[in-house]
């Protein structure tokens, strides 16, 4: 059956108009994105110029953070994101002007520009970057970004001042591991490491997963021939691969890097889970779909996890932090523990949950506790004078024109260098609240 065979001429004409309109719209979006990159590049230059006027020893780092914080706050975007965008914009505008111009004219998309810049970032000579751009732009105008990537790397290699082996030795210092949160109690573990090692790890996991899968199929066939009972393993290769990785990381011994006394092998994984006590007690909490069902547990205050996992971990843990909350507003009232520990620190982490700069999502467990009014000038060490700031925004508070005031209820008010005010309210904790009926009289608390 031929697609659109039965479509009348009028519908085909409408489709053609839609395609033309979308092409124009896409070109317009590319142009606007290029215009935004130009503005971000100007903002980055402005920050450096301000720093030069004051002869700042940090070479403009705090000025750049201050400008990025201002832009990020008004756009409701993390200032880290803005700073990355500013850096990328300066790289595109200053070092690849022909590529920026082509995007501004709508001939290529922002995705094409990123591929070209990424591949050509190792070209040091301005004249060589110009030659590289002249070669790759006609190709970019005819190919998708995905296809362009390999071609751009190939072309860039012609103009690179160093070999790929030399660049790889430098790139190894950037290897790292990080986590991104997903939905339904899931998360993704990423690693940036030498490609040979990453592919080798994946290949070994794959071989092991396929071996387990094949052994399960062989045992199933053998059980069928013998007429014996057999409980099959119905996991896919992907599932087995993920389970094997978890086993190796969580329970395997790092013999290749461990010390003689087993220092690394003694390290256990640590996570923080918040779960309402009613969820732990209610057997039907995980099965109910009613609006009144108990809320799910949360991992690090931002990612829901399934109740069964929370219950198992609660049953196996050696100690709990108990967070007492107001039954109507949900506001944190107190935090205690059955064993003595740092009560105030736990209380503030339970209240703040993340860095208290607007748009920042760094979890409180990775933040500094900062005095709003410095302890050296008489500021009290109490919940009304302390808040959680990640190291980045802690430094921003003390080394930039941003001003911070803490209001009642843990509300933190930031005033930017341009006089704008941004208010950050403690996030609602993962807890159970109750509604007071109008005829029930005042609440007894």
């Amino acid at each position: 059956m031929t697609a659109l065979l039965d479509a009348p001429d009028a519908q085909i004409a409408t489709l053609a108009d839609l395609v033309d309109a979308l092409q124009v719209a896409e070109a317009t979006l590319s142009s606007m994105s290029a215009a935004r990159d130009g503005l971000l590049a100007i903002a980055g230059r402005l920050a450096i110029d301000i720093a030069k006027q004051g002869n700042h020893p940090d070479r403009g780092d705090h000025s750049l953070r201050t400008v990025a914080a201002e832009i990020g706050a008004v756009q409701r975007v993390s200032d880290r994101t803005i700073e990355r965008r500013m850096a990328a914009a300066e790289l595109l505008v200053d070092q690849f002007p022909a590529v920026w111009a082509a995007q501004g004219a709508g001939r290529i998309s922002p995705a094409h520009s990123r591929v070209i810049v990424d591949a050509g970032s190792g070209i040091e000579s301005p004249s060589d970057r110009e030659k590289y751009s002249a070669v790759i732009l006609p190709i970019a105008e005819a190919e998708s970004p995905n296809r362009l990537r390999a071609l751009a790397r190939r072309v860039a290699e012609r103009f690179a001042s160093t070999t790929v082996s030399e660049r790889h030795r430098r790139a190894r210092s950037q290897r790292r591991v990080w986590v991104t949160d997903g939905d339904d109690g899931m998360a993704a573990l990423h690693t940036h490491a030498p490609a040979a090692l990453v592919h080798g790890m994946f290949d070994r996991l794959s071989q092991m997963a396929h071996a387990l899968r094949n052994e399960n199929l062989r045992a199933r066939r053998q059980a069928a021939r013998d007429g014996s009972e057999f409980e099959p393993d119905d996991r896919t290769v992907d599932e087995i691969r993920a389970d094997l990785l978890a086993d190796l990381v969580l329970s395997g011994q790092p013999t290749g890097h461990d010390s003689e006394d087993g220092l690394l092998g003694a390290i256990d994984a640590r996570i923080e889970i918040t779960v309402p006590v009613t969820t732990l007690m209610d057997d039907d909490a995980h099965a109910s779909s009613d609006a009144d069902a108990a809320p799910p547990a949360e991992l690090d205050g931002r990612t829901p996890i399934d109740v069964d996992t929370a219950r198992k971990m609660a049953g196996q843990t050696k100690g709990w932090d108990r967070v007492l909350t107001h039954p109507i507003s949900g506001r944190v009232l107190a935090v205690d523990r059955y064993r003595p520990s740092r009560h105030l620190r736990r209380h503030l982490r339970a209240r703040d949950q993340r860095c208290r700069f607007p748009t920042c999502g760094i979890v409180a467990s990775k933040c500094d506790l900062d005095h709003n009014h410095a302890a050296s000038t008489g500021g009290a060490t109490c919940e009304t004078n302390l808040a959680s700031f990640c190291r980045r925004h802690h430094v921003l508070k003390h080394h930039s024109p941003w001003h911070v005031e803490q209001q009642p209820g843990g509300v933190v008010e930031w005033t930017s260098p341009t006089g704008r005010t941004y208010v950050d309210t403690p996030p609602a904790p993962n807890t159970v609240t109750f509604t007071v009926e109008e005829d029930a009289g005042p609440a007894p608390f």
Side-chain angles (χ1 to χ4, degrees):
M1 180 177 180
T2 304
L4 302 183
L5 181 64
D6 299 325
D9 292 343
Q11 290 182 327
I12 295 298
T14 300
L15 176 61
D17 290 339
L18 283 172
V19 172
D20 290 340
L22 286 170
Q23 184 179 22
V24 172
E26 192 66 28
T28 302
L29 289 173
S30 296
S31 299
M32 294 301 298
S33 178
R36 183 183 68 174
D37 286 338
L39 294 173
L40 287 170
I42 292 173
R45 293 175 193 148
L46 176 63
I48 299 301
D49 289 343
I50 293 173
K52 287 181 178 178
Q53 291 172 3
N55 194 25
H56 292 180
D58 63 355
R59 298 182 180 180
D61 183 59
H62 288 155
S63 296
L64 191 61
R65 292 186 185 185
T66 301
V67 171
E70 175 78 30
I71 297 172
V74 76
Q75 293 184 0
R76 297 184 299 280
V77 177
S78 166
D79 57 296
R80 292 180 179 84
T81 299
I82 294 297
E83 195 166 334
R84 287 194 297 269
R85 289 178 181 175
M86 290 167 65
E90 288 184 83
L91 184 62
L92 172 63
V93 173
D94 296 340
Q95 299 193 16
F96 297 88
V99 178
W100 180 49
Q103 182 183 326
R107 289 158 41 205
I108 61 174
S109 70
H112 287 94
S113 294
R114 285 193 295 271
V115 169
I116 294 173
V117 172
D118 288 345
S121 59
I123 304 175
E124 298 179 358
S125 167
S127 61
D128 285 341
R129 284 197 297 268
E130 185 177 350
K131 294 174 184 177
Y132 162 70
S133 299
V135 173
I136 201 62
L137 277 173
I139 301 174
E141 293 175 20
E143 294 286 4
S144 67
N146 187 49
R147 289 185 174 183
L148 178 65
R149 184 169 289 105
L151 298 172
R153 288 173 179 168
R154 191 180 305 162
V155 173
E157 199 62 33
R158 300 184 207 165
F159 303 100
S161 57
T162 57
T163 66
V164 65
S165 296
E166 293 171 326
R167 297 198 302 276
H168 174 71
R169 281 194 290 271
R170 291 198 300 267
R172 282 177 60 91
S173 63
Q174 300 174 6
R175 59 192 184 275
R176 64 191 183 103
V177 178
W178 71 101
V179 173
T180 57
D181 294 318
D183 298 325
D184 304 322
M186 303 294 283
L189 178 69
H190 311 265
T191 181
H192 181 69
L197 296 181
V198 172
H199 284 278
M201 290 186 287
F202 185 80
D203 180 70
R204 187 180 182 215
L205 286 171
S206 297
Q207 289 189 59
M208 295 168 69
H210 282 288
L212 286 174
R213 181 75 169 163
N214 292 337
E215 175 60 23
N216 178 66
L217 293 174
R218 186 204 62 76
R220 177 185 292 183
R221 290 193 296 267
Q222 185 63 43
R225 286 193 295 268
D226 296 341
S228 58
E229 293 185 1
F230 179 74
E231 185 175 348
D233 183 350
D234 294 324
R235 292 177 298 170
T236 66
V237 169
D238 281 336
E239 290 175 301
I240 297 174
R241 192 158 39 209
D243 294 343
L244 284 169
L245 177 61
D247 280 345
L248 289 170
V249 173
L250 295 176
S251 62
Q253 298 299 317
T255 55
H257 300 83
D258 211 352
S259 57
E260 292 183 0
D261 57 355
L263 176 64
L264 296 182
I267 296 175
D268 294 328
R270 185 186 69 179
I271 59 174
E272 293 184 2
I273 295 176
T274 306
V275 53
V277 66
T278 51
T279 300
L280 288 177
M281 295 187 301
D282 185 2
D283 290 335
D284 298 324
H286 63 293
S288 174
S289 60
D290 297 337
D292 294 331
E298 288 185 350
L299 176 63
D300 284 339
R302 56 182 179 180
T303 304
I305 64 171
D306 64 282
V307 175
D308 290 336
T309 299
R311 286 176 172 173
K312 290 178 181 177
M313 291 189 170
Q316 295 170 0
T317 190
K318 296 179 180 179
W320 299 357
D321 286 335
R322 183 174 63 176
V323 182
L324 304 180
T325 60
H326 193 287
I328 296 175
S329 68
R331 183 170 61 88
V332 173
L333 299 176
V335 176
D336 64 6
R337 194 177 177 89
Y338 293 112
R339 293 193 303 238
S341 77
R342 301 181 214 179
H343 169 83
L344 183 58
R345 184 179 296 274
R346 293 198 310 273
H347 175 84
L348 291 169
R349 285 179 176 171
R351 182 196 71 183
D352 293 345
Q353 298 184 38
R354 75 290 189 269
C355 173
R356 299 302 308 281
F357 182 84
T359 75
C360 186
I362 299 296
V363 295
S365 60
K366 297 180 180 179
C367 292
D368 302 329
L369 285 179
D370 180 65
H371 289 77
N372 181 42
H373 297 290
S376 59
T377 59
T381 303
C382 60
E383 65 171 294
T384 58
N385 191 43
L386 287 170
S388 302
F389 298 138
C390 70
R391 185 58 53 86
R392 178 188 184 89
H393 293 120
H394 191 173
V395 173
L396 181 75
K397 173 179 178 289
H398 290 286
H399 298 281
S400 80
W402 281 85
H403 178 72
V404 181
E405 285 290 340
Q406 187 163 331
Q407 307 297 339
V411 174
V412 177
E413 184 179 276
W414 292 74
T415 302
S416 76
T418 62
R420 291 184 175 88
T421 299
Y422 307 96
V423 175
D424 186 77
T425 303
N430 184 42
T431 186
V432 177
T433 60
F434 300 91
T435 302
V436 177
E437 297 182 3
E438 294 183 359
D439 60 352
F445 23 67

